[in-house]
Amino acid sequence: MTSTQQRAALQRQIWQIANDVRGAVDGWDFKQYVLGALFYRFISENFTNYIEGGDESIHYAGLGDEVITPEIKDDAIKTKGYFIYPSQLFVNIAGNAHDNDSLNTDLAEIFAAIEASANGYPSESDIKGLFADFDTTSNRLGSTVKEKNARLAAVLKGVAGLDFGGFDASHIDLFGDAYEFLISNYAANAGKSGGEFFTPQHVSRLIARLAMHKQSSVNKIYDPACGSGSLLLQAKKHFDAHMIEEGFYGQEINHTTYNLARMNMFLHNINYDKFDIQLGNTLIDPRFGDEKPFDAIVSNPPYSVKWPGSDDPTLINDERFAPAGVLAPKSKADFAFVLHALSYLSGKGRAAIVCFPGIFYRGGAEKKIRQYLVDNNYVETVIALAPNLFYGTTIAVNILVLAKNKTDAQTQFIDAGDLFKKETNNNILTDGHIEQIMQAFDSKAHVDHFAITVDNEKIAENDYNLSVSSYVEAKDTREVIDITKLNAEIKTTVEKIDRLRAEIEAIVAEIEA
C-alpha cells in the first residue's frame, strides 16, 4: 500500500469513528474528544518509544508504576516535557475501557497528572491546559455517567484500532496528517465557526514557500494569529528542520484553538523546547516583542474584525503602528495585523499574509497605510487567489508579501484567480498551481494576463491602489472576429439572396403569364 493509499484509508477510518461515536453531540464540539484521544494515544506511544529506546527487552506498558524512580521521571520530563506512568498509558486505559465504570474520572485524573508532571520545569507553560477541552465529565457526552463512559470508551476503542504503524519518521507525519484531516473536515462542516481557525494545507503550502523563498536558513518562524498551527507546520513539512534554527512561534486569541495548536506541534514531533505558542490578543497584548525580529512570518488573520483602534490613545504611539502615522479603522483591523507583522519582521526576511481584498483599494486610513508601505518599499508582491479556497467563506482573498531588503523600488502583482481545481465543496490549489505562482514570484518577469512588476511611482500615481486587477490586464475572453472574413461571408450571403430573389421573381412571372 502506498503512502497516499495508506493516508486515504486512515482518513476514512478516522472520519468513521467521528460519525459513529458523536451521536447527538454537535460535530464541531465532539471533534475535541476525537482529537483529544488521538493526542493522548500519540504522546503515550511517543513517550513509550523514548523510554524503551529501541530495547526490545523493555516493555514499558507492562511495568508497574512503582519501578519508576524520581531520577527516571526527572530525566524524562527534562527531555520530553512531561511524564506518563505505565498505568496511565493510552494502551492500558483503552484496553479495558468498556469495563471501567469510572472511565471518565480516571481519564480526568490522568490528564491532570500528565499536565502536573511538568510543573516547575521549563515545559510547564507548553503542557499546562493541553487537555482542557477534553472534558470527560461534560454533559455533552451524555446525561449519565454510564452514557459518558460508553461514548468515551467508543472513542478510545476507535482510536486504538487505527493502524499508524511504527513511530518512525515516515509514520509520525501520517499521524499529524490524520489530525489535520479531522480538523479540516469539521471546519468544512462547521462553516465560519470552524473554518476561521484553519488554513487549508494547499494554501498553507504556498504561504510557507513565499515566506521562506530562497532563504538558506531562518532564525525562527512566527504566526501572529496562528489558529490551529497549520501555517507553521507547513514550514516544517516542506523545509528541512535545521533550516528553522530556533523554532516555531505563534499567538492565538481563541483558547480552544490555542490548545489545538500546541497539540499539533507535539503531533508533528516538534519538542516543547522548539515551539512557543501563547494565548492572547496579538494586537492589544503581543507576546513576542523580546523574540523579534523573525526571518519568516506567515499569517491568515481574521478578516475585518473590530479592534479598539483610535479609542485607545496609547496605540498610535505603539512602535508597531506609529511609523504609519495612522491606525487601522476600528471596524477593520486587517492593516493592524499587517503593521504588526512588519514590525516583527527582520531585515532579511519575508512576511506572507492572507488579506481581505478590500484593504487594497479602500480610502481613508487604509489608503494612508498603503502609502506608508509603498513609499517605504515594503511591498514585494500582491497575489490575487481564486475564490472559495477557504472553509466558511467563498471570497477571493489576496496574499500580501512584505520584505525589508528589496533592491528596487518596484512592486509585483500576480493574478492567480484562474488557478484552481474544483474539489467537493471547495476549490484547491494543486502543486502545479503553486509552482506556477512561485516561478512568477521568483522571476518577477512579465507574463501576459498573469504577472507584472511596476514602478512604485506608478502606484503612487494610481492613488496607492494595490488591487491586482488595476495592474494585471485581464484576458479578453470575447470571441475575436475577423472583419475581412466576415465581410466576405456577408457578400456571399447577399449574392445568394439576390440570386434566390431573382429565381423566385422568374417563377412568379411565369405563373402570372
Side-chain angles (χ1 to χ4, degrees), residues 57 62 155:
S57 67
V155 174

Side-chain angles (χ1 to χ4, degrees), residues 109-128:
E109 291 172 2
I110 289 170
F111 297 157
I114 293 172
E115 291 184 14
S117 70
N119 290 348
Y121 288 86
S123 60
E124 181 176 352
S125 62
D126 298 307
I127 305 297
K128 187 176 182 180

Side-chain angles (χ1 to χ4, degrees), residues 33-193:
Y33 295 100
V34 180
L35 293 179
L38 278 168
F39 180 66
Y40 177 32
R41 176 180 165 181
F42 175 85
I43 63 170
S44 291
E45 296 184 16
N46 189 274
F47 188 81
T48 297
N49 194 51
Y50 162 74
I51 291 291
E52 294 177 350
D55 187 341
E56 295 183 1
S57 67
I58 301 175
H59 180 53
Y60 186 63
L63 298 178
D65 291 357
E66 68 279 358
V67 305
I68 305 300
T69 65
E71 291 76 19
I72 291 174
K73 183 176 181 181
D74 179 68
D75 183 65
I77 297 172
K78 287 177 179 176
T79 303
K80 298 301 294 180
Y82 58 90
F83 192 87
I84 305 178
Y85 282 97
S87 66
Q88 299 171 332
L89 292 170
F90 175 90
V91 64
N92 288 329
I93 298 302
N96 66 345
H98 283 293
D99 300 319
N100 185 352
D101 293 335
S102 59
L103 178 63
N104 67 326
T105 53
D106 285 352
L107 283 172
E109 291 172 2
I110 289 170
F111 297 157
I114 293 172
E115 291 184 14
S117 70
N119 290 348
Y121 288 86
S123 60
E124 181 176 352
S125 62
D126 298 307
I127 305 297
K128 187 176 182 180
L130 270 176
F131 290 98
D133 293 299
F134 199 148
D135 184 357
T136 61
T137 61
S138 171
N139 287 332
R140 289 184 296 174
L141 287 167
S143 57
T144 67
V145 171
K146 186 176 181 179
E147 289 177 348
K148 292 180 175 71
N149 286 340
R151 191 156 280 149
L152 286 169
V155 174
L156 294 179
K157 285 293 187 182
V159 171
L162 297 176
D163 181 14
F164 291 109
F167 269 91
D168 53 48
S170 64
H171 286 91
I172 288 171
D173 195 48
L174 190 60
F175 207 128
D177 284 345
Y179 179 91
E180 290 185 33
F181 168 79
L182 193 51
I183 294 178
S184 66
N185 272 274
Y186 274 123
N189 290 316
K192 188 171 187 285
S193 65

Side-chain angles (χ1 to χ4, degrees), residues 333-354:
D334 307 72
F335 264 129
F337 283 104
V338 169
L339 292 174
H340 170 89
L342 180 67
S343 173
Y344 277 47
L345 185 63
S346 74
K348 64 167 261 192
R350 282 193 182 91
I353 308 165
V354 179

Side-chain angles (χ1 to χ4, degrees), residues 305-324:
V305 295
K306 295 179 181 179
W307 77 306
S310 58
D311 285 347
D312 183 343
T314 66
L315 289 174
I316 191 60
N317 296 315
D318 189 301
E319 63 178 359
R320 298 171 295 166
F321 312 124

